[in-house]
Amino acid sequence: MTVRIGVIGTGMIGQDHIRRLTKVLSGVDVVAVNDIDSSRAASAAPAGAEIFDTPQELIRSDKVDAIVICSWGPAHEEQLLECIAVGKPVFCEKPLVTSEASAMRVMEAEVGYGRRLVQVGFMRRFDADYRRLKAVVDGGTLGAPLMFHSVHRNASVPAGLYTSDMPLNDTLVHDADVSRWLLDDEIAGVEVRLPRRSRQGGELRDPHFVLLHMAGGAIVDVEISVNIAYGYDIRGELSCETGVAALPNRPSPVVSDASGIRQFIPTDWRERFIEAYDQEFREWIVAAGDGTATGPSTWDGYAATLVADAALRAVASGKLEAITMRDKPALYSQSMAQAA
Ligand code: NAP
């Protein structure tokens, strides 16, 4: 069966996902495209795909079996609710939504529908290195995880478009999600420390040092540097009772020349996580073909939203900000260890 996909939002990641859905993966066909800018939709659309004027018309079209949302975060809620209303599986780029109230509305709609339809784009869970790291922790040979050191460095972010809140409400969500998944635990509180500001980003508040307090007592520290110039560098090391497990350096040639010995560093997330994005869509296509969703859920998107909100409160207060989660609906009762 070929799953007929409609893509909403044809900016940077929308175009990259259209490329993988049309040129890399099988069992899928991009038949419909929408963007607020119709000329951008037209230039991104694969041959034969229909350009829709509105997300609602695309979602409701009989030609579309499943939807990929790559618009910006504030538009996600309305588009997700529309997909749930018509019972179509939907892959939604992170962030799921941009407020707790909005996440609750999406969750209530999906729970009311009675079947999982939403997968959130937390692609690190599909990365082979993160999966091996998780297998080591879950194997139990190192004892319980006590600390996780997570490093998230971007070479640069678009000046003007990227605001001082975004390291916490747009970037930290990946580290928060992968921490919950690796440690199979919820985040109960967040602290943020602000080191001396980097001159690389002008007035932008950067970098951030974040502490995530897990409900079970483990602590995660996250460095977020979004203008570090040298490359896109993602690191992670778990410190457990009887050993440590870390993400490996990415395989790349070791170049020796008159400047010294060096290895290649990816320039952005598309290069670093290219196989992870492919894999997250492979698994999504299988589930979407069955009319459902697996992988990171609305619950995971809700949890990440609470962390982002708490982190922003922590900047303002300078204190540990507690997180209170609602009871987990049975629809999401699968353990995080199984979700991807
Ligand atoms: P982008 O380049 O700005 O693309 C977003 C596109 O959606 C733009 O063409 C935008 O048009 C359009 N759009 C905005 N509101 C819309 C609406 N209501 N209906 C239809 N189209 C709409 O942004 P991006 O970098 O691709 O990011 C898109 C989403 O992916 C964001 O949520 C972002 O956080 C996420 N993302 C995830 C990852 C990851 O690693 N998983 C990486 C990058 C981005 P205008 O420009 O005219 O507003």
PDB file of all heavy atoms in Angstrom, residues 111-133:
ATOM      1  N   VAL A 111      -7.250  11.682  22.816  1.00  0.00           N
ATOM      2  CA  VAL A 111      -7.803  10.703  23.764  1.00  0.00           C
ATOM      3  C   VAL A 111      -9.283  10.479  23.439  1.00  0.00           C
ATOM      4  O   VAL A 111      -9.772   9.352  23.429  1.00  0.00           O
ATOM      5  CB  VAL A 111      -7.593  11.184  25.223  1.00  0.00           C
ATOM      6  CG1 VAL A 111      -8.412  10.348  26.202  1.00  0.00           C
ATOM      7  CG2 VAL A 111      -6.108  11.134  25.591  1.00  0.00           C
ATOM      8  N   GLY A 112      -9.992  11.572  23.141  1.00  0.00           N
ATOM      9  CA  GLY A 112     -11.409  11.465  22.780  1.00  0.00           C
ATOM     10  C   GLY A 112     -11.603  10.641  21.522  1.00  0.00           C
ATOM     11  O   GLY A 112     -12.564   9.882  21.409  1.00  0.00           O
ATOM     12  N   TYR A 113     -10.665  10.764  20.595  1.00  0.00           N
ATOM     13  CA  TYR A 113     -10.762   9.987  19.354  1.00  0.00           C
ATOM     14  C   TYR A 113     -10.567   8.492  19.654  1.00  0.00           C
ATOM     15  O   TYR A 113     -11.154   7.636  19.005  1.00  0.00           O
ATOM     16  CB  TYR A 113      -9.729  10.481  18.329  1.00  0.00           C
ATOM     17  CG  TYR A 113      -9.874   9.797  17.002  1.00  0.00           C
ATOM     18  CD1 TYR A 113     -10.894  10.143  16.120  1.00  0.00           C
ATOM     19  CD2 TYR A 113      -8.997   8.766  16.640  1.00  0.00           C
ATOM     20  CE1 TYR A 113     -11.058   9.488  14.914  1.00  0.00           C
ATOM     21  CE2 TYR A 113      -9.143   8.107  15.428  1.00  0.00           C
ATOM     22  CZ  TYR A 113     -10.180   8.471  14.569  1.00  0.00           C
ATOM     23  OH  TYR A 113     -10.329   7.806  13.378  1.00  0.00           O
ATOM     24  N   GLY A 114      -9.698   8.214  20.643  1.00  0.00           N
ATOM     25  CA  GLY A 114      -9.554   6.843  21.127  1.00  0.00           C
ATOM     26  C   GLY A 114      -8.424   6.045  20.519  1.00  0.00           C
ATOM     27  O   GLY A 114      -8.258   4.862  20.815  1.00  0.00           O
ATOM     28  N   ARG A 115      -7.622   6.678  19.686  1.00  0.00           N
ATOM     29  CA  ARG A 115      -6.489   5.958  19.080  1.00  0.00           C
ATOM     30  C   ARG A 115      -5.373   6.963  18.839  1.00  0.00           C
ATOM     31  O   ARG A 115      -5.651   8.124  18.524  1.00  0.00           O
ATOM     32  CB  ARG A 115      -6.933   5.361  17.747  1.00  0.00           C
ATOM     33  CG  ARG A 115      -5.897   4.510  17.079  1.00  0.00           C
ATOM     34  CD  ARG A 115      -6.459   3.736  15.902  1.00  0.00           C
ATOM     35  NE  ARG A 115      -6.569   4.528  14.698  1.00  0.00           N
ATOM     36  CZ  ARG A 115      -7.639   4.594  13.919  1.00  0.00           C
ATOM     37  NH1 ARG A 115      -8.727   3.941  14.225  1.00  0.00           N
ATOM     38  NH2 ARG A 115      -7.646   5.329  12.829  1.00  0.00           N
ATOM     39  N   ARG A 116      -4.130   6.516  18.988  1.00  0.00           N
ATOM     40  CA  ARG A 116      -3.031   7.428  18.719  1.00  0.00           C
ATOM     41  C   ARG A 116      -2.972   7.788  17.237  1.00  0.00           C
ATOM     42  O   ARG A 116      -3.009   6.915  16.376  1.00  0.00           O
ATOM     43  CB  ARG A 116      -1.690   6.797  19.148  1.00  0.00           C
ATOM     44  CG  ARG A 116      -1.359   7.035  20.606  1.00  0.00           C
ATOM     45  CD  ARG A 116       0.121   6.897  20.868  1.00  0.00           C
ATOM     46  NE  ARG A 116       0.909   7.779  20.012  1.00  0.00           N
ATOM     47  CZ  ARG A 116       2.221   7.678  19.852  1.00  0.00           C
ATOM     48  NH1 ARG A 116       2.882   6.735  20.483  1.00  0.00           N
ATOM     49  NH2 ARG A 116       2.872   8.516  19.067  1.00  0.00           N
ATOM     50  N   LEU A 117      -2.870   9.085  16.966  1.00  0.00           N
ATOM     51  CA  LEU A 117      -2.754   9.559  15.583  1.00  0.00           C
ATOM     52  C   LEU A 117      -1.526  10.431  15.390  1.00  0.00           C
ATOM     53  O   LEU A 117      -1.112  10.680  14.259  1.00  0.00           O
ATOM     54  CB  LEU A 117      -4.000  10.386  15.200  1.00  0.00           C
ATOM     55  CG  LEU A 117      -5.322   9.633  15.048  1.00  0.00           C
ATOM     56  CD1 LEU A 117      -6.467  10.624  14.865  1.00  0.00           C
ATOM     57  CD2 LEU A 117      -5.272   8.667  13.870  1.00  0.00           C
ATOM     58  N   VAL A 118      -0.943  10.930  16.496  1.00  0.00           N
ATOM     59  CA  VAL A 118       0.093  11.961  16.411  1.00  0.00           C
ATOM     60  C   VAL A 118       1.468  11.387  16.737  1.00  0.00           C
ATOM     61  O   VAL A 118       1.642  10.701  17.760  1.00  0.00           O
ATOM     62  CB  VAL A 118      -0.217  13.105  17.410  1.00  0.00           C
ATOM     63  CG1 VAL A 118       0.875  14.182  17.356  1.00  0.00           C
ATOM     64  CG2 VAL A 118      -1.585  13.712  17.144  1.00  0.00           C
ATOM     65  N   GLN A 119       2.443  11.650  15.875  1.00  0.00           N
ATOM     66  CA  GLN A 119       3.852  11.401  16.199  1.00  0.00           C
ATOM     67  C   GLN A 119       4.575  12.740  16.140  1.00  0.00           C
ATOM     68  O   GLN A 119       4.424  13.495  15.185  1.00  0.00           O
ATOM     69  CB  GLN A 119       4.498  10.419  15.218  1.00  0.00           C
ATOM     70  CG  GLN A 119       6.004  10.218  15.512  1.00  0.00           C
ATOM     71  CD  GLN A 119       6.663   9.147  14.652  1.00  0.00           C
ATOM     72  OE1 GLN A 119       6.058   8.132  14.339  1.00  0.00           O
ATOM     73  NE2 GLN A 119       7.918   9.370  14.276  1.00  0.00           N
ATOM     74  N   VAL A 120       5.398  13.015  17.172  1.00  0.00           N
ATOM     75  CA  VAL A 120       6.130  14.285  17.240  1.00  0.00           C
ATOM     76  C   VAL A 120       7.566  14.062  16.749  1.00  0.00           C
ATOM     77  O   VAL A 120       8.163  13.013  16.996  1.00  0.00           O
ATOM     78  CB  VAL A 120       6.147  14.829  18.691  1.00  0.00           C
ATOM     79  CG1 VAL A 120       6.784  16.221  18.732  1.00  0.00           C
ATOM     80  CG2 VAL A 120       4.740  14.890  19.258  1.00  0.00           C
ATOM     81  N   GLY A 121       8.115  15.096  16.085  1.00  0.00           N
ATOM     82  CA  GLY A 121       9.421  14.949  15.432  1.00  0.00           C
ATOM     83  C   GLY A 121      10.637  15.017  16.347  1.00  0.00           C
ATOM     84  O   GLY A 121      11.536  15.819  16.096  1.00  0.00           O
ATOM     85  N   PHE A 122      10.663  14.161  17.344  1.00  0.00           N
ATOM     86  CA  PHE A 122      11.863  14.059  18.181  1.00  0.00           C
ATOM     87  C   PHE A 122      12.765  12.980  17.577  1.00  0.00           C
ATOM     88  O   PHE A 122      12.771  11.822  18.000  1.00  0.00           O
ATOM     89  CB  PHE A 122      11.493  13.722  19.630  1.00  0.00           C
ATOM     90  CG  PHE A 122      10.834  14.868  20.357  1.00  0.00           C
ATOM     91  CD1 PHE A 122       9.652  14.683  21.061  1.00  0.00           C
ATOM     92  CD2 PHE A 122      11.398  16.141  20.343  1.00  0.00           C
ATOM     93  CE1 PHE A 122       9.048  15.736  21.729  1.00  0.00           C
ATOM     94  CE2 PHE A 122      10.787  17.208  21.018  1.00  0.00           C
ATOM     95  CZ  PHE A 122       9.615  16.997  21.711  1.00  0.00           C
ATOM     96  N   MET A 123      13.573  13.381  16.593  1.00  0.00           N
ATOM     97  CA  MET A 123      14.283  12.401  15.766  1.00  0.00           C
ATOM     98  C   MET A 123      15.450  11.732  16.473  1.00  0.00           C
ATOM     99  O   MET A 123      15.942  10.695  16.026  1.00  0.00           O
ATOM    100  CB  MET A 123      14.751  13.047  14.460  1.00  0.00           C
ATOM    101  CG  MET A 123      15.953  13.967  14.571  1.00  0.00           C
ATOM    102  SD  MET A 123      15.580  15.417  15.563  1.00  0.00           S
ATOM    103  CE  MET A 123      17.101  16.328  15.470  1.00  0.00           C
ATOM    104  N   ARG A 124      15.918  12.329  17.604  1.00  0.00           N
ATOM    105  CA  ARG A 124      17.074  11.691  18.261  1.00  0.00           C
ATOM    106  C   ARG A 124      16.755  10.262  18.694  1.00  0.00           C
ATOM    107  O   ARG A 124      17.634   9.427  18.775  1.00  0.00           O
ATOM    108  CB  ARG A 124      17.504  12.500  19.478  1.00  0.00           C
ATOM    109  CG  ARG A 124      18.130  13.823  19.113  1.00  0.00           C
ATOM    110  CD  ARG A 124      18.758  14.450  20.334  1.00  0.00           C
ATOM    111  NE  ARG A 124      19.159  15.810  20.050  1.00  0.00           N
ATOM    112  CZ  ARG A 124      19.789  16.594  20.910  1.00  0.00           C
ATOM    113  NH1 ARG A 124      20.069  16.137  22.128  1.00  0.00           N
ATOM    114  NH2 ARG A 124      20.131  17.814  20.591  1.00  0.00           N
ATOM    115  N   ARG A 125      15.463   9.992  18.990  1.00  0.00           N
ATOM    116  CA  ARG A 125      15.089   8.635  19.424  1.00  0.00           C
ATOM    117  C   ARG A 125      15.306   7.606  18.311  1.00  0.00           C
ATOM    118  O   ARG A 125      15.242   6.405  18.558  1.00  0.00           O
ATOM    119  CB  ARG A 125      13.618   8.597  19.827  1.00  0.00           C
ATOM    120  CG  ARG A 125      13.272   9.457  21.013  1.00  0.00           C
ATOM    121  CD  ARG A 125      11.866   9.132  21.429  1.00  0.00           C
ATOM    122  NE  ARG A 125      11.360  10.027  22.456  1.00  0.00           N
ATOM    123  CZ  ARG A 125      10.380   9.704  23.281  1.00  0.00           C
ATOM    124  NH1 ARG A 125       9.788   8.523  23.176  1.00  0.00           N
ATOM    125  NH2 ARG A 125       9.952  10.557  24.181  1.00  0.00           N
ATOM    126  N   PHE A 126      15.497   8.079  17.075  1.00  0.00           N
ATOM    127  CA  PHE A 126      15.671   7.179  15.935  1.00  0.00           C
ATOM    128  C   PHE A 126      17.124   7.125  15.473  1.00  0.00           C
ATOM    129  O   PHE A 126      17.439   6.447  14.507  1.00  0.00           O
ATOM    130  CB  PHE A 126      14.758   7.624  14.780  1.00  0.00           C
ATOM    131  CG  PHE A 126      13.303   7.639  15.165  1.00  0.00           C
ATOM    132  CD1 PHE A 126      12.742   8.752  15.786  1.00  0.00           C
ATOM    133  CD2 PHE A 126      12.505   6.523  14.968  1.00  0.00           C
ATOM    134  CE1 PHE A 126      11.409   8.761  16.174  1.00  0.00           C
ATOM    135  CE2 PHE A 126      11.173   6.513  15.350  1.00  0.00           C
ATOM    136  CZ  PHE A 126      10.623   7.642  15.954  1.00  0.00           C
ATOM    137  N   ASP A 127      17.978   7.873  16.156  1.00  0.00           N
ATOM    138  CA  ASP A 127      19.401   7.925  15.795  1.00  0.00           C
ATOM    139  C   ASP A 127      20.093   6.661  16.298  1.00  0.00           C
ATOM    140  O   ASP A 127      19.923   6.269  17.468  1.00  0.00           O
ATOM    141  CB  ASP A 127      20.021   9.173  16.445  1.00  0.00           C
ATOM    142  CG  ASP A 127      21.503   9.279  16.187  1.00  0.00           C
ATOM    143  OD1 ASP A 127      21.882   9.602  15.046  1.00  0.00           O
ATOM    144  OD2 ASP A 127      22.285   9.027  17.135  1.00  0.00           O
ATOM    145  N   ALA A 128      20.880   6.010  15.446  1.00  0.00           N
ATOM    146  CA  ALA A 128      21.474   4.718  15.804  1.00  0.00           C
ATOM    147  C   ALA A 128      22.376   4.848  17.040  1.00  0.00           C
ATOM    148  O   ALA A 128      22.387   3.951  17.905  1.00  0.00           O
ATOM    149  CB  ALA A 128      22.262   4.169  14.623  1.00  0.00           C
ATOM    150  N   ASP A 129      23.124   5.943  17.165  1.00  0.00           N
ATOM    151  CA  ASP A 129      24.024   6.090  18.319  1.00  0.00           C
ATOM    152  C   ASP A 129      23.236   6.259  19.622  1.00  0.00           C
ATOM    153  O   ASP A 129      23.572   5.666  20.647  1.00  0.00           O
ATOM    154  CB  ASP A 129      24.959   7.287  18.121  1.00  0.00           C
ATOM    155  CG  ASP A 129      25.958   7.047  16.996  1.00  0.00           C
ATOM    156  OD1 ASP A 129      26.251   5.870  16.706  1.00  0.00           O
ATOM    157  OD2 ASP A 129      26.427   8.038  16.402  1.00  0.00           O
ATOM    158  N   TYR A 130      22.177   7.082  19.576  1.00  0.00           N
ATOM    159  CA  TYR A 130      21.349   7.232  20.783  1.00  0.00           C
ATOM    160  C   TYR A 130      20.673   5.899  21.129  1.00  0.00           C
ATOM    161  O   TYR A 130      20.520   5.550  22.295  1.00  0.00           O
ATOM    162  CB  TYR A 130      20.278   8.310  20.577  1.00  0.00           C
ATOM    163  CG  TYR A 130      20.738   9.717  20.924  1.00  0.00           C
ATOM    164  CD1 TYR A 130      20.987  10.653  19.933  1.00  0.00           C
ATOM    165  CD2 TYR A 130      20.894  10.123  22.251  1.00  0.00           C
ATOM    166  CE1 TYR A 130      21.382  11.950  20.256  1.00  0.00           C
ATOM    167  CE2 TYR A 130      21.291  11.411  22.575  1.00  0.00           C
ATOM    168  CZ  TYR A 130      21.531  12.324  21.571  1.00  0.00           C
ATOM    169  OH  TYR A 130      21.927  13.599  21.897  1.00  0.00           O
ATOM    170  N   ARG A 131      20.256   5.153  20.100  1.00  0.00           N
ATOM    171  CA  ARG A 131      19.590   3.875  20.381  1.00  0.00           C
ATOM    172  C   ARG A 131      20.563   2.890  21.035  1.00  0.00           C
ATOM    173  O   ARG A 131      20.192   2.145  21.944  1.00  0.00           O
ATOM    174  CB  ARG A 131      18.985   3.291  19.097  1.00  0.00           C
ATOM    175  CG  ARG A 131      17.712   4.018  18.696  1.00  0.00           C
ATOM    176  CD  ARG A 131      17.003   3.405  17.511  1.00  0.00           C
ATOM    177  NE  ARG A 131      15.627   3.900  17.480  1.00  0.00           N
ATOM    178  CZ  ARG A 131      14.703   3.502  16.619  1.00  0.00           C
ATOM    179  NH1 ARG A 131      14.989   2.608  15.691  1.00  0.00           N
ATOM    180  NH2 ARG A 131      13.475   3.982  16.665  1.00  0.00           N
ATOM    181  N   ARG A 132      21.832   2.919  20.587  1.00  0.00           N
ATOM    182  CA  ARG A 132      22.822   2.019  21.212  1.00  0.00           C
ATOM    183  C   ARG A 132      23.088   2.456  22.655  1.00  0.00           C
ATOM    184  O   ARG A 132      23.245   1.629  23.545  1.00  0.00           O
ATOM    185  CB  ARG A 132      24.117   2.018  20.405  1.00  0.00           C
ATOM    186  CG  ARG A 132      23.987   1.263  19.100  1.00  0.00           C
ATOM    187  CD  ARG A 132      25.323   1.124  18.372  1.00  0.00           C
ATOM    188  NE  ARG A 132      25.077   0.867  16.971  1.00  0.00           N
ATOM    189  CZ  ARG A 132      25.234   1.762  15.989  1.00  0.00           C
ATOM    190  NH1 ARG A 132      25.713   2.964  16.237  1.00  0.00           N
ATOM    191  NH2 ARG A 132      24.956   1.438  14.754  1.00  0.00           N
ATOM    192  N   LEU A 133      23.135   3.766  22.854  1.00  0.00           N
ATOM    193  CA  LEU A 133      23.340   4.279  24.216  1.00  0.00           C
ATOM    194  C   LEU A 133      22.196   3.809  25.118  1.00  0.00           C
ATOM    195  O   LEU A 133      22.418   3.350  26.246  1.00  0.00           O
ATOM    196  CB  LEU A 133      23.368   5.815  24.153  1.00  0.00           C
ATOM    197  CG  LEU A 133      23.833   6.587  25.376  1.00  0.00           C
ATOM    198  CD1 LEU A 133      25.243   6.202  25.771  1.00  0.00           C
ATOM    199  CD2 LEU A 133      23.782   8.105  25.089  1.00  0.00           C
TER     200      LEU A 133
END
